[in-house]
Amino acid sequence: MLFPMSPTDSMFLLAESENCQMQVGGLALFTPPDGARASDVREMFAAAVARHDVAGVWRKRARRSVTSLGQWGWDSGAEVDLDYHVQYSALPRPAGLAELWALVSWLHAAPLNRDRPLWEMHLIEGLADGRYAVYIKLHHALADGVCAMEMLRAALSGDPRRRGGPALWEPVEPAAEPTAPSPGGALDLFGLPRWAASTAWGVAREAAGLVPALAGTLLQALRHRGGTLSLAAPRTMFNVPIDGARSFTGRSWPLERLRLVAKHSDATVNDVVLAMCAGALRRYLISRGALPLAPLVAMVPVSLRGHGPDDTADAGNQIGSLMCGLATNLTDAGERLAAVRVGMCEGKATLASRSRLQVLAMSALGAAPLALGMLVGHHGLLRPPNVMISNVSGSRAPLFWEGARLDALYPLSIPVDGQALNITCTSTDDTIAFGLTGCRHAVPGLGAMTGHLDDELRLLERSAGL
């Protein structure tokens, strides 16, 4: 049986092209328990594959309906070939992170097979320090970053002694599995949140609020205030058509360093992340002789998930976005952080006064320049935000799988036509990991960015008096 897919989820399938694959990923680094060998890890994965127990979300195939004008839907009734979806790779020993980034760059560029469930997992061995890596790739239509983190967290344990736990693709609580798959997030058949579509009055009230919400969004953009739309993004080397080649690099830092900067700067950790990226982008563009006079603008995704069962149990996408000026025209790191803080405060205040449906509409308006550029290719006529920067919170406690400790989770995301660089962060326990995914040809020398991020964190610490 085919279940309807939400408009937000189906957008990621419709926007996909040969050069722009709409898949996200995560690279998890694990330290094996004492006495464990690489062969032990392979045996644990092989045992999980042999159980052949696959949760509903990992069974979902994307299909077009023959009765609904070709609308995309989810079919989760077919069998899953785990020997295809779970694969093994070995780096030539002794391999370092540079070799790992290169392998994952290649894996991330390969398209997912639409005739199968839209995910893959790769166990990667051969690192010189004895750790192993797990690379997970799934289509953005299947889940957003927050949902993907929740699914990963459910498969891990806070107890290093626990054995026999589920693999990522296995049901965490089989008895609690729904009998019918979700139609793509906490949305009804028309793409409206269930809480809004429950009554005709709710629908009418939501619709009536869309016009003033969109008008307010345009007014804020004209006044260069923080919000979901920007009309001031400069043209940069990132805002060009892309090809299918990918480049990935990552780096992690103790989360406490960012927390201290935030505390002494009256800012949030997310503000510090944006300021680090702002300074790193400024340094990178200066090194290329390509820094524009006007400040860069970042698109910042925000989760619209609540804490009720409809919000946490479903996969799919429930995200809006804010536009944040990065103050790359300023030379002082502390002043850049202050400017980012003001812009984000203005944007969050705007979202707080709107419903989720209104935020989705406002975010769609903000993404329109990027979306139109992807569809029609006239990048010179449109001014999309220059870069995507996202921060997804993870567990605050150490996590383990079969006794192996999760050291860091590096996110991989989606460069698109008109926005050739994506920066995403995730936090696990006491570590925050930055993952930078770019079009290899549009963003050459991406590896230098991690050094620039480190330099900017040091400058922010100095500015905060640390």
Side-chain angles (χ1 to χ4, degrees):
M1 183 175 180
L2 196 65
F3 290 84
M5 187 183 300
S6 78
T8 305
D9 295 350
S10 60
M11 175 190 70
F12 291 104
L13 290 167
L14 294 170
E16 193 164 53
S17 67
E18 181 179 356
N19 290 336
C20 184
Q21 300 295 326
M22 291 290 170
Q23 55 217 17
V24 294
L27 179 66
L29 277 179
F30 289 94
T31 295
D34 292 340
R37 301 167 299 174
S39 59
D40 298 328
V41 179
R42 288 197 302 274
E43 290 172 4
M44 290 187 293
F45 267 72
V49 170
R51 290 194 294 266
H52 204 80
D53 194 7
V54 184
V57 67
W58 303 105
R59 292 181 177 274
K60 292 164 66 172
R61 285 176 169 83
R63 294 280 189 265
R64 283 192 181 274
S65 170
V66 296
T67 60
S68 301
L69 301 179
Q71 176 187 354
W72 281 103
W74 290 116
D75 175 11
S76 61
E79 287 297 312
V80 178
D81 181 2
L82 285 178
D83 288 324
Y84 172 87
H85 290 277
V86 182
Q87 303 180 27
Y88 303 88
S89 300
L91 294 165
R93 294 181 184 273
L97 290 180
E99 290 79 12
L100 181 59
W101 305 150
L103 172 60
V104 173
S105 297
W106 179 76
L107 291 174
H108 198 62
L112 288 162
N113 186 344
R114 289 197 179 187
D115 292 330
R116 298 177 181 268
L118 296 172
W119 65 277
E120 291 178 6
M121 181 179 295
H122 299 257
L123 172 63
I124 303 171
E125 305 170 11
L127 290 170
D129 57 10
R131 295 188 292 179
Y132 70 90
V134 176
Y135 166 68
I136 308 156
K137 176 168 66 176
L138 66 160
H139 204 283
H140 210 318
L142 195 64
D144 59 34
V146 174
C147 179
M149 285 292 291
E150 287 297 320
M151 291 190 290
L152 176 63
R153 172 66 183 87
L156 301 177
S157 171
D159 184 359
R161 299 166 297 179
R162 181 186 178 188
R163 298 295 186 272
L168 178 63
W169 60 84
E170 294 183 305
V172 177
E173 296 178 358
E177 281 267 280
T179 55
S182 160
L187 302 166
D188 74 357
L189 303 188
F190 300 99
L192 295 174
R194 293 191 182 116
W195 51 266
S198 58
T199 66
W201 169 247
V203 174
R205 183 172 55 189
E206 288 295 319
L210 287 178
V211 173
L214 296 176
T217 297
L218 182 58
L219 184 60
Q220 279 190 295
L222 291 171
R223 293 176 175 175
H224 301 289
R225 303 286 297 274
T228 59
L229 174 66
S230 172
L231 301 175
R235 295 191 181 94
T236 72
M237 61 182 291
F238 304 132
N239 306 115
V240 295
I242 64 172
D243 60 24
R246 294 292 173 265
S247 180
F248 173 78
T249 188
R251 186 160 177 175
S252 60
W253 290 268
L255 184 57
E256 185 63 19
R257 290 182 64 184
L258 279 73
R259 286 175 175 154
L260 285 173
V261 172
K263 178 180 178 181
H264 287 80
S265 304
D266 192 26
T268 67
V269 169
N270 195 56
D271 295 337
V272 177
V273 166
L274 289 167
M276 288 175 63
C277 295
L281 290 166
R282 173 183 164 87
R283 288 169 179 264
Y284 176 86
L285 291 171
I286 287 176
S287 72
R288 299 274 165 181
L291 179 68
L293 295 177
L296 270 65
V297 175
M299 177 183 287
V300 183
V302 293
S303 175
L304 303 182
R305 293 179 184 272
H307 301 286
D310 284 344
D311 295 295
T312 57
D314 290 331
N317 291 271
Q318 298 184 47
I319 51 175
S321 62
L322 286 175
M323 304 299 163
C324 179
L326 296 179
T328 50
N329 57 319
L330 302 179
T331 59
D332 183 79
E335 291 179 3
R336 282 195 296 272
L337 175 57
V340 164
R341 176 184 173 276
V342 170
M344 287 301 292
C345 284
E346 291 175 349
K348 285 184 283 190
T350 298
L351 296 192
S353 65
R354 301 296 182 183
S355 71
R356 278 191 287 181
L357 180 60
Q358 291 165 2
V359 171
L360 285 171
M362 293 158 61
S363 300
L365 179 62
L370 183 63
L372 288 173
M374 292 169 60
L375 291 172
V376 303
H378 296 303
H379 303 282
L381 303 177
L382 301 165
R383 303 179 70 179
N386 304 111
V387 62
M388 178 88 75
I389 303 176
S390 181
N391 183 17
V392 182
S393 297
S395 172
R396 297 186 179 182
L399 294 175
F400 302 85
W401 189 73
E402 299 297 292
R405 179 186 172 113
L406 176 64
D407 292 335
L409 178 62
Y410 296 94
L412 292 90
S413 199
I414 306 173
V416 298
D417 273 339
Q419 200 176 75
L421 176 63
N422 184 297
I423 304 175
T424 305
C425 315
T426 57
S427 56
T428 53
D429 186 16
D430 57 358
T431 298
I432 185 167
F434 283 60
L436 292 82
T437 313
C439 170
R440 181 181 299 277
H441 299 112
V443 193
L446 184 59
M449 284 284 291
T450 57
H452 296 330
L453 285 166
D454 190 58
D455 292 338
E456 287 304 310
L457 179 55
R458 294 179 187 276
L459 288 176
L460 289 167
E461 288 173 328
R462 186 183 307 169
S463 176
L466 299 172

